[in-house]
Structure formats: structure tokens, C-alpha cells
Amino acid sequence: LKPFWLKPLARRKAKTSFSELPDTRQGNMGGKKSYQNTGKTFRKPKRPFEKERLDSEMKIIGEYGLKNKREVWRVQYALAKIRTAARVLLTLDEKEEARIFQGEALLRRMVRLGLLTESEKKLDYVLGLTTAKIMERRLQTKVFKLGLAKSIHHARTLIRQRHIRVGKQICNIPSFLVRLDSEKHIDFALTSPFGGGRPGRVRRKRGKDGGAGGGGDEEED
């Protein structure tokens, strides 16, 4: 009789792998499971090293003071969706109910955002929209064009540091698209030192050091 440690191990039946199990997920017809809860906001270019596109993107980033290329892609993706909607509506008959209501809603929105004028309320003009037109409606661009900032990059800093308001609401999103009726209400926030609010931390400290006898600024530097 052999000791138990010399006996050959009994072969266990191999367990079924996960790949062999049937797919029981709901709403997924045998495809790959998606863990994404939100929709896409941008689309990467198919050709990553195309010289003409790279040059044009860098020009847009420099002209409008953008953070990265994702901001350019986001605008291009939104513009592509708007154009697609207009292209689909143009294939319908002019008297069809969907084209009348959805087309009017799309044009009304474009006019409200300042992307089209009142005389351009046609779907054909929607197809002619460009990235530059949307960039011109950004809050960052408007703050610079109104003279509230010294440069396009300074405008972004003011917005992010909550110095800018649109109407009564402080807006700290540089990519916020300004409506036509809100354009005249862009100004410094009431809580901002630039808008008559309380002085900033550095100004208060300098004033305190100056009142105490001076010399504090030199030590701080």
C-alpha cells in the first residue's frame, strides 16, 4: 500500500471559463459591455499626425486661448451633430411636420446663441457654420473682446477665479456659450475686487503691513 503522498492526484474536472458562459446581460446583443455612463463629448481625429490639421488646431488654440486640443475637438463634435441634424431635416419634405417643428427649434436655438442672424433662418445656413463662429461666442472670447481682460489668457484666468458674472450669476466656465441677450450683461462680479468688492488676500496683507510700519513687502518678496 502506497503512502498518500505518493498517490497520483485525482484529475479534477476543469471548470467552465467565463468566455464559455452564455451572455445574460440585458440590452447587449452579444456585444462588448459598456461601462460608460455618459455620452461622448468629443471625437479624436482618425489620422493623428496630419500636418494641415495639426497646424490649424494649434492656430485655434493660440487665437482663442484654449487649454488643450480636446476643447477644439469638443466644439467640432458639437458642430458635426448640429450639421447632421440639419442635413437629416433637409432630406424631409418641406411640408412634413417633423421638418417644420424640429427645423424651427434648431434655427431658433442658433439665432439665440448668436450663431445665425435673423436673416439667415434657413437650414442651409446651418450647414455653413464653422468652428470659429462657435469660438467667438465663448465667454472667454467675449470677456477679452469687451476689454475686461488684458489678453485672451488673462480672460480665462479671470473666469476661473470667479471674477466674471453673466447677469447676476457668476460663471467660471470659459467655454460657456453666451446668448445674444446675455452679452450686454457680462461684467465683473460684485464680490470681485475688480467689481468693487472686498480687496484680495495680497492687497489686504500689503495694507496691513504698510499700516504696521512698512517694510513687510520687501520681506515677503
Side-chain angles (χ1 to χ4, degrees):
L1 188 65
K2 289 184 179 180
F4 68 91
W5 60 83
L6 293 177
K7 288 181 180 179
L9 295 172
R11 291 186 179 179
R12 296 179 182 177
K13 188 179 179 182
K15 292 183 179 178
T16 310
S17 62
F18 287 108
S19 59
E20 296 174 7
L21 291 173
D23 193 357
T24 56
R25 292 178 295 223
Q26 298 295 323
N28 196 351
M29 301 299 291
K32 198 174 180 182
K33 186 174 180 182
S34 175
Y35 293 94
Q36 196 173 0
N37 291 331
T38 56
K40 286 188 176 181
T41 56
F42 68 95
R43 187 189 296 140
K44 290 183 180 180
K46 291 181 180 178
R47 297 180 179 176
F49 302 111
E50 203 172 8
K51 188 177 185 303
E52 291 81 9
R53 183 187 53 77
L54 290 171
D55 292 342
S56 65
E57 284 176 354
M58 289 304 293
K59 185 180 177 183
I60 292 171
I61 288 172
E63 186 179 352
Y64 295 101
L66 306 182
K67 180 183 175 184
N68 49 36
K69 290 190 178 181
R70 191 181 300 165
E71 291 196 312
V72 181
W73 299 338
R74 193 168 59 205
V75 170
Q76 289 173 347
Y77 186 64
L79 186 59
K81 289 175 77 174
I82 292 169
R83 279 168 155 173
T84 304
R87 204 176 288 115
V88 169
L89 290 172
L90 280 169
T91 59
L92 303 176
D93 187 58
E94 289 186 3
K95 295 181 181 178
E96 197 163 330
E97 192 173 325
R99 175 165 176 174
I100 293 171
F101 286 100
Q102 293 179 22
E104 282 295 320
L106 179 63
L107 292 170
R108 195 163 53 243
R109 187 179 173 203
M110 295 297 103
V111 171
R112 193 167 64 229
L113 287 172
L115 299 173
L116 295 177
T117 60
E118 286 290 343
S119 59
E120 297 176 340
K121 289 186 74 173
K122 288 183 180 178
L123 290 172
D124 296 322
Y125 288 104
V126 177
L127 298 177
L129 289 174
T130 59
T131 308
K133 278 194 175 181
I134 298 181
M135 291 294 183
E136 288 291 334
R137 300 305 307 172
R138 282 166 52 98
L139 179 61
Q140 182 180 355
T141 311
K142 289 296 172 188
V143 168
F144 174 57
K145 293 283 179 74
L146 290 170
L148 299 176
K150 297 175 184 176
S151 68
I152 194 76
H153 304 288
H154 184 218
R156 190 181 187 95
T157 305
L158 289 176
I159 294 167
R160 288 300 299 158
Q161 293 179 357
R162 301 175 63 83
H163 289 296
I164 302 297
R165 65 183 168 97
V166 181
K168 295 180 180 178
Q169 182 70 42
I170 292 175
C171 183
N172 65 339
I173 302 169
S175 61
F176 174 75
L177 292 182
V178 182
R179 294 182 179 180
L180 274 180
D181 53 353
S182 303
E183 194 171 340
K184 55 181 175 290
H185 299 299
I186 298 173
D187 203 356
F188 287 116
L190 300 175
T191 54
S192 168
F194 303 110
R198 185 187 180 199
R201 177 177 56 85
V202 176
R203 180 73 59 86
R204 292 199 306 270
K205 188 173 181 182
R206 283 179 179 170
K208 191 187 295 182
D209 292 344
D217 291 345
E218 296 176 5
E219 291 176 8
E220 187 181 351
D221 295 338

